[in-house]
Amino acid sequence: MVGGVTVRDVDAQKFIVSYSAFLKRQGKLPIPGWVDTVKTSNSKELPPQSIDWFYTRAASVARFVYLRKTVGVGRLRKVHGSTKNRGMRPSHHVDASGSVDRKVLQALEKIGVVEHDEDKGGRRITQAGQRDLDRKFHSIFLVFYMGVSGETRGRGENSSERDFKAFKSETPTEWIWRNLIEHRLRRR
């Protein structure tokens, strides 16, 4: 993995979309039968419109657990909750469904991404789960931020590979500024 850069450094939306696609392609995540009919919160009127919302929620929960030491269902309910439209009365925050978040955590436990934390309670990321998320982060980082698509043209190294080698020796901030200046010079 690229030194000094972690999952925190990649855009959350890009990571969640990519990791949910990975979970769907992998096919190991057990999906409950009620996913097409359940509402995710008391504040929602309809179930999610996306067919793959369970994978997206699982990717979001995996990232959330990765960034924190331990996470319980109560904290996930707060994070995934939203404001309830109460008509003429002021809106209030309503927690998300605890059952949905619990089932997502249980599904992630079955594939070995998270585990029970006996000392503090809640769930924590496993070593295998952290390794999977780091690998997925590394591929996202290379594609979205470095422009490396995994294929090289010709026999020599391309500019993306040179950038990647230079990035290993620079800090992320130095690399971003260098590429920004090069990009502006190319536009002139």
Side-chain angles (χ1 to χ4, degrees):
M1 195 172 103
V2 179
V5 183
T6 64
V7 173
R8 289 180 192 274
D9 299 326
V10 73
D11 184 34
Q13 186 174 4
K14 290 178 184 175
F15 181 82
I16 290 170
V17 167
S18 179
Y19 192 62
S20 66
F22 170 75
L23 288 174
K24 185 175 181 183
R25 252 184 290 121
Q26 195 178 25
K28 292 182 181 176
L29 192 71
I31 305 294
W34 44 258
V35 259
D36 54 346
T37 58
V38 72
K39 292 189 335 177
T40 56
S41 175
N42 188 15
S43 62
K44 304 291 183 186
E45 292 184 12
L46 296 171
Q49 299 300 309
S50 173
I51 298 168
D52 302 327
W53 72 267
F54 195 81
Y55 294 106
T56 306
R57 179 65 65 97
S60 170
V61 167
R63 181 182 181 276
F64 194 80
V65 174
Y66 180 94
L67 296 177
R68 287 149 185 87
K69 292 186 176 166
T70 56
V71 175
V73 175
R75 179 177 264 183
L76 289 174
R77 288 185 67 197
K78 283 248 190 250
V79 169
H80 293 131
S82 60
T83 56
K84 181 176 176 103
N85 182 2
R86 302 185 335 139
M88 295 296 288
R89 296 171 296 174
S91 299
H92 288 288
H93 177 82
V94 176
D95 291 347
S97 170
S99 175
V100 170
D101 287 330
R102 191 175 311 106
K103 296 298 181 188
V104 167
L105 283 171
Q106 289 170 356
L108 288 172
E109 265 186 275
K110 284 185 181 175
I111 63 171
V113 176
V114 297
E115 65 185 1
H116 263 292
D117 188 359
E118 308 300 332
D119 301 332
K120 298 180 184 177
R123 266 55 168 221
R124 67 175 174 222
I125 196 91
T126 62
Q127 286 184 343
Q130 187 170 1
R131 185 179 60 242
D132 287 346
L133 288 168
D134 285 340
R135 283 182 188 158
K136 184 45 63 183
F137 154 72
H138 188 62
S139 66
I140 294 167
F141 187 77
L142 288 177
V143 170
F144 286 110
Y145 295 100
M146 301 292 294
V148 176
S149 63
E151 56 192 43
T152 58
R153 295 188 179 105
R155 296 182 187 265
E157 66 179 4
N158 59 18
S159 62
S160 298
E161 288 174 349
R162 279 194 303 274
D163 283 346
F164 181 65
K165 286 179 182 176
F167 179 76
K168 286 170 114 177
S169 64
E170 298 175 327
T171 65
T173 309
E174 290 170 347
W175 181 84
I176 290 169
W177 279 108
R178 183 177 56 81
N179 277 338
L180 184 66
I181 291 168
E182 288 176 5
H183 177 69
R184 287 191 177 162
L185 290 176
R186 274 186 254 136
R187 284 190 359 193
R188 288 185 182 176

